[in-house]
Amino acid sequence: MSPRSASVNEELRRRSKERLLQAAVELVGERGYEATTLGDIADRAGSARGLVSYYFPGKRQLVQSAVHRLMHRTLEEALEREPRTTKGRERLARAIDAILGLARDRPVLMRQHMAGLLQAEVGFVPCPEQRRLAELLRDTVARHGSRDVDRDYPMLRAQLMGAVFAALVPGVPMPVPELRAELFERYRLDWKLGVPPDAEAPGGTVCDPDLSRFFATGLSDRPARTDETGRTDRTDPTGRTAQSK
């Protein structure tokens, strides 16, 4: 068998990383952070366990990157859904609804994410996924008419993080509609913009349990092979084969 080309190896590495991100979001959302191990994530992704450390320094960094991917893709869908618009007020309303929607629909995952940001040993970890989220929010602030995006973007980010935290505090959570009303009043947005709580949610704001559209794993293009023992083989990006039950 001839060696794989560099481009094929690069594509396999990309897909392997995508599977790890998707597995991290799914498992932490199902079990919580502490109950999810790196081995669990690797097994769900169908990857060799050593590959996790090849891509990420640790579990917290992996989970942060995975949640930031979910956040920026959810926000992107909300901003670009039909009918598409360039109006700053509508786009800001969609952004607020998208982030609050994650707190409402995926409380376990988002609670674990917020807790991780507050841990001193890791804290806030910049990554490509987080940078894409920041770009979308900065653009939203600019389209809303900000004269100083460098000042107003951090404020919006802080307001959204505070609202998510308030919605997820165990025992004393604030209702998402009340948090939405506070943010809409602050930014002088009409209640009917975005997706009001009593309105039917359009595409891009529905809590779909299938997250595969956010992660370009390519699994449908490369079906797994099952051997005579019932184990599934998936080739990892280094050329080895990982087997899982």
Side-chain angles (χ1 to χ4, degrees):
M1 180 182 297
S2 59
R4 291 198 300 253
S5 68
S7 61
V8 170
N9 283 330
E10 179 61 28
E11 176 64 12
L12 289 174
R13 283 192 290 269
R14 184 190 64 78
R15 292 184 182 186
S16 179
K17 186 174 181 179
E18 291 287 312
R19 290 196 298 272
L20 290 170
L21 290 169
Q22 182 176 345
V25 164
E26 292 174 348
L27 287 171
V28 173
E30 293 167 9
R31 307 176 185 178
Y33 180 82
E34 296 298 335
T36 301
T37 68
L38 288 176
D40 294 332
I41 294 171
D43 289 345
R44 173 69 67 92
S47 298
R49 299 190 184 192
L51 285 177
V52 181
S53 58
Y54 177 81
Y55 294 115
F56 302 97
K59 184 171 73 167
R60 183 62 70 184
Q61 290 87 346
L62 166 56
V63 171
Q64 276 202 34
S65 290
V67 176
H68 281 136
R69 165 69 68 87
L70 175 64
M71 292 176 71
H72 92 63
R73 288 300 308 276
T74 298
L75 177 57
E76 191 172 56
E77 279 193 352
L79 292 173
E80 301 306 322
R81 71 169 184 263
E82 298 295 341
R84 299 186 70 175
T85 182
T86 59
K87 295 180 179 179
R89 292 168 63 81
E90 170 64 21
R91 290 178 72 86
L92 180 56
R94 292 185 184 189
I96 292 171
D97 285 334
I99 301 302
L100 290 181
L102 286 171
R104 179 193 63 230
D105 299 333
R106 306 189 190 277
V108 174
L109 182 66
M110 295 303 292
R111 187 177 294 117
Q112 299 298 321
H113 178 61
M114 297 299 293
L117 295 178
L118 296 174
Q119 289 193 350
E121 64 269 24
V122 178
F124 183 79
V125 180
C127 66
E129 308 301 337
Q130 180 274 327
R131 285 192 287 272
R132 179 56 181 150
L133 175 63
E135 289 170 0
L136 289 171
L137 288 175
R138 286 180 63 89
D139 178 71
T140 299
V141 168
R143 289 173 184 257
H144 186 247
S146 170
R147 296 181 180 179
D148 189 347
V149 175
D150 289 336
R151 180 200 65 193
D152 294 338
Y153 155 67
M155 182 57 68
L156 174 62
R157 182 183 64 196
Q159 294 288 330
L160 291 173
M161 290 177 67
V164 169
F165 182 84
L168 297 175
V169 176
V172 288
M174 287 194 64
V176 167
E178 291 186 19
L179 294 166
R180 181 185 194 267
E182 184 70 22
L183 287 169
F184 271 46
E185 181 177 356
R186 174 183 177 84
Y187 289 102
R188 297 183 175 85
L189 301 174
D190 296 334
W191 183 256
K192 65 182 179 180
L193 296 175
V195 186
D198 57 350
E200 181 178 352
T205 61
V206 178
C207 181
D208 187 346
D210 181 8
L211 300 175
S212 59
R213 69 188 188 281
F214 293 154
F215 302 92
T217 62
L219 286 179
S220 60
D221 300 328
R222 185 173 59 85
R225 303 186 303 277
T226 302
D227 65 18
E228 65 276 6
T229 68
R231 291 182 299 186
T232 299
D233 293 345
R234 293 184 177 91
T235 305
D236 74 24
T238 65
R240 297 186 297 273
T241 297
Q243 293 184 325
S244 61
K245 294 288 186 183

Short mmCIF file of all heavy atoms in Angstrom, two decimals, residues 135-195:
data_model
loop_
_atom_site.label_atom_id
_atom_site.label_comp_id
_atom_site.label_asym_id
_atom_site.label_seq_id
_atom_site.Cartn_x
_atom_site.Cartn_y
_atom_site.Cartn_z
N GLU A 135 -15.30 37.66 16.90
CA GLU A 135 -15.46 38.37 15.63
C GLU A 135 -16.94 38.62 15.32
O GLU A 135 -17.33 39.71 14.89
CB GLU A 135 -14.82 37.57 14.50
CG GLU A 135 -13.30 37.54 14.53
CD GLU A 135 -12.73 36.55 13.53
OE1 GLU A 135 -13.53 35.90 12.82
OE2 GLU A 135 -11.49 36.42 13.47
N LEU A 136 -17.77 37.60 15.56
CA LEU A 136 -19.20 37.74 15.27
C LEU A 136 -19.84 38.78 16.20
O LEU A 136 -20.66 39.60 15.76
CB LEU A 136 -19.90 36.38 15.44
CG LEU A 136 -19.58 35.33 14.37
CD1 LEU A 136 -20.15 33.98 14.78
CD2 LEU A 136 -20.14 35.75 13.01
N LEU A 137 -19.48 38.75 17.47
CA LEU A 137 -20.06 39.71 18.41
C LEU A 137 -19.56 41.12 18.14
O LEU A 137 -20.32 42.10 18.25
CB LEU A 137 -19.75 39.29 19.84
CG LEU A 137 -20.51 38.07 20.36
CD1 LEU A 137 -20.02 37.69 21.75
CD2 LEU A 137 -22.02 38.33 20.38
N ARG A 138 -18.29 41.26 17.79
CA ARG A 138 -17.75 42.58 17.47
C ARG A 138 -18.46 43.16 16.23
O ARG A 138 -18.80 44.35 16.18
CB ARG A 138 -16.25 42.51 17.23
CG ARG A 138 -15.41 42.33 18.50
CD ARG A 138 -13.93 42.27 18.16
NE ARG A 138 -13.47 43.52 17.56
CZ ARG A 138 -13.02 44.56 18.28
NH1 ARG A 138 -12.95 44.47 19.60
NH2 ARG A 138 -12.62 45.65 17.67
N ASP A 139 -18.68 42.31 15.23
CA ASP A 139 -19.37 42.75 14.03
C ASP A 139 -20.80 43.17 14.36
O ASP A 139 -21.31 44.15 13.82
CB ASP A 139 -19.37 41.63 12.99
CG ASP A 139 -20.12 42.02 11.73
OD1 ASP A 139 -19.61 42.87 10.97
OD2 ASP A 139 -21.23 41.48 11.49
N THR A 140 -21.44 42.41 15.26
CA THR A 140 -22.80 42.75 15.67
C THR A 140 -22.84 44.11 16.35
O THR A 140 -23.73 44.93 16.09
CB THR A 140 -23.34 41.66 16.62
OG1 THR A 140 -23.36 40.40 15.93
CG2 THR A 140 -24.75 42.00 17.08
N VAL A 141 -21.87 44.36 17.23
CA VAL A 141 -21.80 45.65 17.91
C VAL A 141 -21.58 46.78 16.90
O VAL A 141 -22.21 47.84 16.99
CB VAL A 141 -20.66 45.63 18.95
CG1 VAL A 141 -20.38 47.03 19.47
CG2 VAL A 141 -21.02 44.70 20.10
N ALA A 142 -20.70 46.55 15.93
CA ALA A 142 -20.43 47.57 14.93
C ALA A 142 -21.67 47.86 14.09
O ALA A 142 -22.00 49.03 13.83
CB ALA A 142 -19.28 47.12 14.03
N ARG A 143 -22.39 46.81 13.68
CA ARG A 143 -23.60 47.01 12.87
C ARG A 143 -24.71 47.69 13.67
O ARG A 143 -25.57 48.35 13.09
CB ARG A 143 -24.10 45.66 12.34
CG ARG A 143 -23.21 45.04 11.27
CD ARG A 143 -23.71 43.64 10.94
NE ARG A 143 -22.86 42.94 10.00
CZ ARG A 143 -23.14 42.76 8.70
NH1 ARG A 143 -24.25 43.27 8.20
NH2 ARG A 143 -22.32 42.10 7.92
N HIS A 144 -24.66 47.53 14.98
CA HIS A 144 -25.67 48.18 15.82
C HIS A 144 -25.41 49.68 15.93
O HIS A 144 -26.26 50.42 16.42
CB HIS A 144 -25.68 47.53 17.21
CG HIS A 144 -26.77 48.01 18.09
ND1 HIS A 144 -26.54 48.76 19.24
CD2 HIS A 144 -28.12 47.89 18.00
CE1 HIS A 144 -27.69 49.05 19.81
NE2 HIS A 144 -28.67 48.54 19.09
N GLY A 145 -24.26 50.13 15.46
CA GLY A 145 -23.99 51.56 15.42
C GLY A 145 -22.97 52.04 16.43
O GLY A 145 -22.87 53.26 16.68
N SER A 146 -22.19 51.14 17.02
CA SER A 146 -21.21 51.55 18.01
C SER A 146 -20.17 52.48 17.39
O SER A 146 -19.67 52.24 16.29
CB SER A 146 -20.50 50.32 18.60
OG SER A 146 -19.39 50.72 19.38
N ARG A 147 -19.82 53.52 18.13
CA ARG A 147 -18.76 54.42 17.71
C ARG A 147 -17.41 54.01 18.31
O ARG A 147 -16.38 54.59 17.96
CB ARG A 147 -19.11 55.85 18.12
CG ARG A 147 -20.36 56.39 17.43
CD ARG A 147 -20.64 57.82 17.85
NE ARG A 147 -21.83 58.35 17.21
CZ ARG A 147 -22.31 59.57 17.41
NH1 ARG A 147 -21.68 60.39 18.27
NH2 ARG A 147 -23.39 59.98 16.78
N ASP A 148 -17.45 53.05 19.22
CA ASP A 148 -16.22 52.58 19.87
C ASP A 148 -16.38 51.09 20.15
O ASP A 148 -16.74 50.68 21.25
CB ASP A 148 -15.97 53.35 21.17
CG ASP A 148 -14.60 53.03 21.77
OD1 ASP A 148 -13.97 52.05 21.34
OD2 ASP A 148 -14.18 53.77 22.68
N VAL A 149 -16.11 50.28 19.14
CA VAL A 149 -16.31 48.84 19.26
C VAL A 149 -15.40 48.24 20.32
O VAL A 149 -15.78 47.32 21.04
CB VAL A 149 -16.07 48.15 17.90
CG1 VAL A 149 -16.16 46.64 18.03
CG2 VAL A 149 -17.10 48.65 16.88
N ASP A 150 -14.18 48.76 20.46
CA ASP A 150 -13.25 48.23 21.45
C ASP A 150 -13.77 48.41 22.88
O ASP A 150 -13.39 47.65 23.77
CB ASP A 150 -11.89 48.91 21.31
CG ASP A 150 -11.16 48.49 20.05
OD1 ASP A 150 -11.46 47.39 19.54
OD2 ASP A 150 -10.30 49.25 19.56
N ARG A 151 -14.61 49.38 23.08
CA ARG A 151 -15.22 49.57 24.40
C ARG A 151 -16.54 48.82 24.51
O ARG A 151 -16.82 48.17 25.52
CB ARG A 151 -15.47 51.06 24.64
CG ARG A 151 -16.13 51.38 26.00
CD ARG A 151 -16.77 52.75 25.98
NE ARG A 151 -17.88 52.81 25.02
CZ ARG A 151 -18.45 53.94 24.62
NH1 ARG A 151 -17.99 55.11 25.04
NH2 ARG A 151 -19.46 53.91 23.77
N ASP A 152 -17.35 48.89 23.45
CA ASP A 152 -18.71 48.34 23.54
C ASP A 152 -18.76 46.82 23.39
O ASP A 152 -19.66 46.19 23.95
CB ASP A 152 -19.58 49.00 22.47
CG ASP A 152 -19.79 50.48 22.73
OD1 ASP A 152 -19.62 50.90 23.90
OD2 ASP A 152 -20.08 51.22 21.77
N TYR A 153 -17.83 46.22 22.65
CA TYR A 153 -17.84 44.76 22.52
C TYR A 153 -17.59 44.09 23.87
O TYR A 153 -18.34 43.18 24.26
CB TYR A 153 -16.84 44.29 21.48
CG TYR A 153 -16.38 42.87 21.73
CD1 TYR A 153 -17.27 41.80 21.60
CD2 TYR A 153 -15.07 42.60 22.13
CE1 TYR A 153 -16.87 40.50 21.87
CE2 TYR A 153 -14.67 41.30 22.39
CZ TYR A 153 -15.57 40.25 22.26
OH TYR A 153 -15.17 38.98 22.54
N PRO A 154 -16.53 44.46 24.64
CA PRO A 154 -16.35 43.81 25.94
C PRO A 154 -17.55 43.99 26.86
O PRO A 154 -17.86 43.10 27.66
CB PRO A 154 -15.11 44.50 26.51
CG PRO A 154 -14.37 44.99 25.32
CD PRO A 154 -15.43 45.40 24.34
N MET A 155 -18.23 45.13 26.75
CA MET A 155 -19.40 45.35 27.59
C MET A 155 -20.53 44.40 27.21
O MET A 155 -21.20 43.80 28.07
CB MET A 155 -19.87 46.80 27.48
CG MET A 155 -21.07 47.13 28.36
SD MET A 155 -20.77 46.78 30.12
CE MET A 155 -19.54 48.04 30.48
N LEU A 156 -20.77 44.22 25.91
CA LEU A 156 -21.79 43.27 25.47
C LEU A 156 -21.42 41.86 25.93
O LEU A 156 -22.28 41.12 26.43
CB LEU A 156 -21.94 43.30 23.95
CG LEU A 156 -22.88 42.23 23.36
CD1 LEU A 156 -24.30 42.40 23.88
CD2 LEU A 156 -22.85 42.28 21.83
N ARG A 157 -20.17 41.49 25.76
CA ARG A 157 -19.73 40.16 26.20
C ARG A 157 -19.98 39.98 27.69
O ARG A 157 -20.48 38.94 28.13
CB ARG A 157 -18.24 39.99 25.88
CG ARG A 157 -17.68 38.61 26.26
CD ARG A 157 -16.20 38.56 25.99
NE ARG A 157 -15.48 39.52 26.83
CZ ARG A 157 -14.23 39.92 26.61
NH1 ARG A 157 -13.56 39.47 25.57
NH2 ARG A 157 -13.65 40.78 27.42
N ALA A 158 -19.65 40.99 28.48
CA ALA A 158 -19.85 40.90 29.92
C ALA A 158 -21.34 40.80 30.26
O ALA A 158 -21.73 40.04 31.16
CB ALA A 158 -19.23 42.12 30.61
N GLN A 159 -22.17 41.57 29.55
CA GLN A 159 -23.61 41.53 29.80
C GLN A 159 -24.17 40.14 29.48
O GLN A 159 -25.00 39.60 30.23
CB GLN A 159 -24.31 42.59 28.95
CG GLN A 159 -24.00 44.02 29.32
CD GLN A 159 -24.64 44.44 30.62
OE1 GLN A 159 -25.70 43.93 30.99
NE2 GLN A 159 -24.02 45.37 31.32
N LEU A 160 -23.73 39.54 28.38
CA LEU A 160 -24.22 38.22 28.00
C LEU A 160 -23.73 37.15 28.98
O LEU A 160 -24.50 36.26 29.38
CB LEU A 160 -23.76 37.88 26.58
CG LEU A 160 -24.41 38.69 25.47
CD1 LEU A 160 -23.73 38.38 24.13
CD2 LEU A 160 -25.90 38.39 25.39
N MET A 161 -22.46 37.23 29.38
CA MET A 161 -21.94 36.26 30.35
C MET A 161 -22.68 36.39 31.68
O MET A 161 -23.01 35.37 32.32
CB MET A 161 -20.44 36.47 30.54
CG MET A 161 -19.60 36.08 29.34
SD MET A 161 -17.83 36.41 29.56
CE MET A 161 -17.43 35.23 30.85
N GLY A 162 -22.94 37.61 32.10
CA GLY A 162 -23.67 37.81 33.34
C GLY A 162 -25.08 37.26 33.27
O GLY A 162 -25.57 36.65 34.23
N ALA A 163 -25.74 37.44 32.12
CA ALA A 163 -27.09 36.92 31.96
C ALA A 163 -27.10 35.39 31.96
O ALA A 163 -27.97 34.76 32.58
CB ALA A 163 -27.70 37.45 30.66
N VAL A 164 -26.14 34.78 31.29
CA VAL A 164 -26.05 33.32 31.27
C VAL A 164 -25.80 32.80 32.68
O VAL A 164 -26.44 31.84 33.13
CB VAL A 164 -24.93 32.86 30.31
CG1 VAL A 164 -24.65 31.37 30.49
CG2 VAL A 164 -25.32 33.15 28.87
N PHE A 165 -24.89 33.44 33.40
CA PHE A 165 -24.61 33.04 34.78
C PHE A 165 -25.87 33.14 35.63
O PHE A 165 -26.20 32.22 36.39
CB PHE A 165 -23.50 33.92 35.35
CG PHE A 165 -23.11 33.55 36.76
CD1 PHE A 165 -22.19 32.54 37.00
CD2 PHE A 165 -23.66 34.21 37.85
CE1 PHE A 165 -21.83 32.19 38.29
CE2 PHE A 165 -23.31 33.88 39.15
CZ PHE A 165 -22.39 32.85 39.37
N ALA A 166 -26.59 34.24 35.51
CA ALA A 166 -27.80 34.44 36.31
C ALA A 166 -28.87 33.40 35.99
O ALA A 166 -29.62 32.97 36.87
CB ALA A 166 -28.35 35.84 36.07
N ALA A 167 -28.92 32.97 34.73
CA ALA A 167 -29.92 31.97 34.33
C ALA A 167 -29.59 30.58 34.84
O ALA A 167 -30.48 29.72 34.90
CB ALA A 167 -30.04 31.95 32.80
N LEU A 168 -28.32 30.36 35.22
CA LEU A 168 -27.87 29.00 35.54
C LEU A 168 -27.50 28.79 37.01
O LEU A 168 -27.12 27.69 37.39
CB LEU A 168 -26.66 28.65 34.67
CG LEU A 168 -26.91 28.62 33.17
CD1 LEU A 168 -25.61 28.38 32.42
CD2 LEU A 168 -27.93 27.55 32.81
N VAL A 169 -27.59 29.83 37.84
CA VAL A 169 -27.23 29.67 39.25
C VAL A 169 -28.15 28.64 39.90
O VAL A 169 -29.37 28.82 39.92
CB VAL A 169 -27.34 31.01 40.01
CG1 VAL A 169 -27.04 30.79 41.50
CG2 VAL A 169 -26.38 32.02 39.42
N PRO A 170 -27.60 27.54 40.41
CA PRO A 170 -28.45 26.51 41.03
C PRO A 170 -29.25 27.07 42.21
O PRO A 170 -28.72 27.78 43.06
CB PRO A 170 -27.44 25.46 41.51
CG PRO A 170 -26.24 25.66 40.64
CD PRO A 170 -26.17 27.14 40.40
N GLY A 171 -30.51 26.78 42.23
CA GLY A 171 -31.36 27.19 43.34
C GLY A 171 -32.02 28.53 43.18
O GLY A 171 -33.15 28.73 43.65
N VAL A 172 -31.35 29.48 42.52
CA VAL A 172 -31.94 30.82 42.36
C VAL A 172 -31.77 31.33 40.92
O VAL A 172 -31.33 32.47 40.71
CB VAL A 172 -31.31 31.83 43.35
CG1 VAL A 172 -31.77 31.57 44.76
CG2 VAL A 172 -29.78 31.78 43.27
N PRO A 173 -32.11 30.52 39.92
CA PRO A 173 -31.94 30.99 38.54
C PRO A 173 -32.96 32.07 38.20
O PRO A 173 -34.09 32.04 38.68
CB PRO A 173 -32.19 29.73 37.71
CG PRO A 173 -33.14 28.93 38.55
CD PRO A 173 -32.72 29.17 39.98
N MET A 174 -32.53 33.03 37.40
CA MET A 174 -33.46 34.04 36.91
C MET A 174 -34.09 33.55 35.61
O MET A 174 -33.40 32.93 34.78
CB MET A 174 -32.75 35.37 36.67
CG MET A 174 -32.37 36.10 37.94
SD MET A 174 -31.91 37.83 37.59
CE MET A 174 -33.47 38.50 36.98
N PRO A 175 -35.36 33.81 35.39
CA PRO A 175 -36.01 33.39 34.14
C PRO A 175 -35.39 34.08 32.93
O PRO A 175 -35.10 35.29 32.97
CB PRO A 175 -37.47 33.83 34.33
CG PRO A 175 -37.64 33.97 35.81
CD PRO A 175 -36.31 34.44 36.32
N VAL A 176 -35.18 33.32 31.88
CA VAL A 176 -34.58 33.86 30.67
C VAL A 176 -35.39 35.03 30.10
O VAL A 176 -34.80 36.03 29.67
CB VAL A 176 -34.39 32.75 29.62
CG1 VAL A 176 -34.06 33.34 28.24
CG2 VAL A 176 -33.27 31.81 30.06
N PRO A 177 -36.73 34.99 30.08
CA PRO A 177 -37.47 36.16 29.56
C PRO A 177 -37.17 37.45 30.32
O PRO A 177 -37.10 38.52 29.71
CB PRO A 177 -38.94 35.74 29.72
CG PRO A 177 -38.91 34.25 29.64
CD PRO A 177 -37.64 33.85 30.34
N GLU A 178 -36.97 37.36 31.63
CA GLU A 178 -36.65 38.56 32.41
C GLU A 178 -35.25 39.08 32.06
O GLU A 178 -35.03 40.29 31.95
CB GLU A 178 -36.74 38.26 33.91
CG GLU A 178 -38.16 38.01 34.39
CD GLU A 178 -38.23 37.85 35.89
OE1 GLU A 178 -37.28 38.30 36.58
OE2 GLU A 178 -39.23 37.30 36.38
N LEU A 179 -34.32 38.18 31.89
CA LEU A 179 -32.97 38.58 31.50
C LEU A 179 -32.97 39.20 30.11
O LEU A 179 -32.29 40.19 29.85
CB LEU A 179 -32.04 37.37 31.55
CG LEU A 179 -31.81 36.79 32.95
CD1 LEU A 179 -31.17 35.42 32.86
CD2 LEU A 179 -30.94 37.72 33.78
N ARG A 180 -33.76 38.60 29.22
CA ARG A 180 -33.89 39.14 27.87
C ARG A 180 -34.47 40.55 27.91
O ARG A 180 -33.98 41.46 27.23
CB ARG A 180 -34.80 38.23 27.03
CG ARG A 180 -34.99 38.68 25.58
CD ARG A 180 -35.99 37.77 24.90
NE ARG A 180 -35.98 37.93 23.45
CZ ARG A 180 -36.78 38.75 22.77
NH1 ARG A 180 -37.65 39.51 23.43
NH2 ARG A 180 -36.72 38.82 21.46
N ALA A 181 -35.50 40.75 28.71
CA ALA A 181 -36.13 42.07 28.81
C ALA A 181 -35.13 43.11 29.30
O ALA A 181 -35.10 44.25 28.80
CB ALA A 181 -37.33 42.00 29.75
N GLU A 182 -34.29 42.74 30.26
CA GLU A 182 -33.29 43.67 30.79
C GLU A 182 -32.28 44.06 29.72
O GLU A 182 -31.92 45.23 29.57
CB GLU A 182 -32.57 43.03 31.98
CG GLU A 182 -31.58 43.93 32.67
CD GLU A 182 -32.23 45.07 33.44
OE1 GLU A 182 -33.42 44.95 33.79
OE2 GLU A 182 -31.54 46.08 33.69
N LEU A 183 -31.81 43.07 28.96
CA LEU A 183 -30.83 43.35 27.90
C LEU A 183 -31.46 44.15 26.77
O LEU A 183 -30.83 45.07 26.23
CB LEU A 183 -30.26 42.04 27.36
CG LEU A 183 -29.28 41.32 28.29
CD1 LEU A 183 -28.98 39.92 27.78
CD2 LEU A 183 -27.99 42.11 28.43
N PHE A 184 -32.69 43.81 26.42
CA PHE A 184 -33.36 44.55 25.35
C PHE A 184 -33.59 46.01 25.76
O PHE A 184 -33.48 46.92 24.93
CB PHE A 184 -34.69 43.88 24.98
CG PHE A 184 -34.56 42.83 23.91
CD1 PHE A 184 -33.55 41.88 23.97
CD2 PHE A 184 -35.44 42.79 22.85
CE1 PHE A 184 -33.42 40.92 22.99
CE2 PHE A 184 -35.32 41.84 21.85
CZ PHE A 184 -34.31 40.90 21.92
N GLU A 185 -33.90 46.23 27.02
CA GLU A 185 -34.09 47.61 27.48
C GLU A 185 -32.76 48.36 27.45
O GLU A 185 -32.71 49.52 27.05
CB GLU A 185 -34.66 47.61 28.90
CG GLU A 185 -34.90 49.02 29.44
CD GLU A 185 -35.53 49.01 30.82
OE1 GLU A 185 -35.85 47.91 31.33
OE2 GLU A 185 -35.70 50.10 31.40
N ARG A 186 -31.70 47.71 27.86
CA ARG A 186 -30.39 48.35 27.87
C ARG A 186 -29.99 48.80 26.48
O ARG A 186 -29.45 49.91 26.30
CB ARG A 186 -29.34 47.39 28.43
CG ARG A 186 -27.92 47.96 28.35
CD ARG A 186 -26.87 46.98 28.85
NE ARG A 186 -25.55 47.55 28.68
CZ ARG A 186 -24.96 48.38 29.52
NH1 ARG A 186 -25.58 48.75 30.62
NH2 ARG A 186 -23.75 48.87 29.28
N TYR A 187 -30.25 47.95 25.49
CA TYR A 187 -29.83 48.27 24.12
C TYR A 187 -30.96 48.86 23.28
O TYR A 187 -30.82 48.98 22.06
CB TYR A 187 -29.27 47.01 23.46
CG TYR A 187 -27.91 46.63 24.03
CD1 TYR A 187 -27.79 45.59 24.96
CD2 TYR A 187 -26.76 47.33 23.69
CE1 TYR A 187 -26.56 45.26 25.51
CE2 TYR A 187 -25.53 47.00 24.22
CZ TYR A 187 -25.44 45.96 25.14
OH TYR A 187 -24.21 45.64 25.69
N ARG A 188 -32.07 49.20 23.92
CA ARG A 188 -33.19 49.87 23.26
C ARG A 188 -33.69 49.06 22.06
O ARG A 188 -33.86 49.59 20.95
CB ARG A 188 -32.81 51.30 22.84
CG ARG A 188 -32.47 52.21 24.01
CD ARG A 188 -32.17 53.62 23.55
NE ARG A 188 -31.97 54.52 24.67
CZ ARG A 188 -30.81 54.69 25.31
NH1 ARG A 188 -29.73 54.01 24.90
NH2 ARG A 188 -30.71 55.52 26.32
N LEU A 189 -33.94 47.80 22.31
CA LEU A 189 -34.44 46.90 21.27
C LEU A 189 -35.92 46.63 21.49
O LEU A 189 -36.36 46.42 22.62
CB LEU A 189 -33.67 45.58 21.30
CG LEU A 189 -32.15 45.66 21.10
CD1 LEU A 189 -31.52 44.30 21.30
CD2 LEU A 189 -31.81 46.22 19.72
N ASP A 190 -36.69 46.61 20.40
CA ASP A 190 -38.10 46.27 20.49
C ASP A 190 -38.25 44.80 20.85
O ASP A 190 -37.54 43.93 20.33
CB ASP A 190 -38.80 46.54 19.16
CG ASP A 190 -38.79 48.02 18.79
OD1 ASP A 190 -38.72 48.84 19.73
OD2 ASP A 190 -38.84 48.34 17.59
N TRP A 191 -39.23 44.51 21.70
CA TRP A 191 -39.44 43.14 22.18
C TRP A 191 -39.72 42.16 21.03
O TRP A 191 -39.35 40.98 21.10
CB TRP A 191 -40.61 43.13 23.16
CG TRP A 191 -40.88 41.79 23.78
CD1 TRP A 191 -41.88 40.91 23.47
CD2 TRP A 191 -40.13 41.17 24.83
NE1 TRP A 191 -41.81 39.80 24.26
CE2 TRP A 191 -40.74 39.92 25.11
CE3 TRP A 191 -39.01 41.55 25.56
CZ2 TRP A 191 -40.26 39.06 26.10
CZ3 TRP A 191 -38.53 40.69 26.54
CH2 TRP A 191 -39.14 39.47 26.79
N LYS A 192 -40.31 42.64 19.96
CA LYS A 192 -40.70 41.77 18.85
C LYS A 192 -39.51 41.36 17.99
O LYS A 192 -39.64 40.47 17.14
CB LYS A 192 -41.74 42.46 17.97
CG LYS A 192 -41.20 43.70 17.26
CD LYS A 192 -42.29 44.38 16.45
CE LYS A 192 -41.74 45.63 15.74
NZ LYS A 192 -42.78 46.31 14.95
N LEU A 193 -38.35 42.00 18.17
CA LEU A 193 -37.18 41.64 17.38
C LEU A 193 -36.63 40.30 17.84
O LEU A 193 -36.93 39.82 18.92
CB LEU A 193 -36.11 42.72 17.50
CG LEU A 193 -36.45 44.10 16.95
CD1 LEU A 193 -35.32 45.09 17.25
CD2 LEU A 193 -36.71 44.03 15.45
N GLY A 194 -35.78 39.69 16.99
CA GLY A 194 -35.18 38.42 17.35
C GLY A 194 -36.22 37.32 17.44
O GLY A 194 -37.05 37.17 16.54
N VAL A 195 -36.20 36.57 18.53
CA VAL A 195 -37.16 35.49 18.75
C VAL A 195 -37.78 35.67 20.14
O VAL A 195 -37.25 35.16 21.13
CB VAL A 195 -36.49 34.10 18.66
CG1 VAL A 195 -37.55 33.00 18.75
CG2 VAL A 195 -35.69 33.96 17.39
#
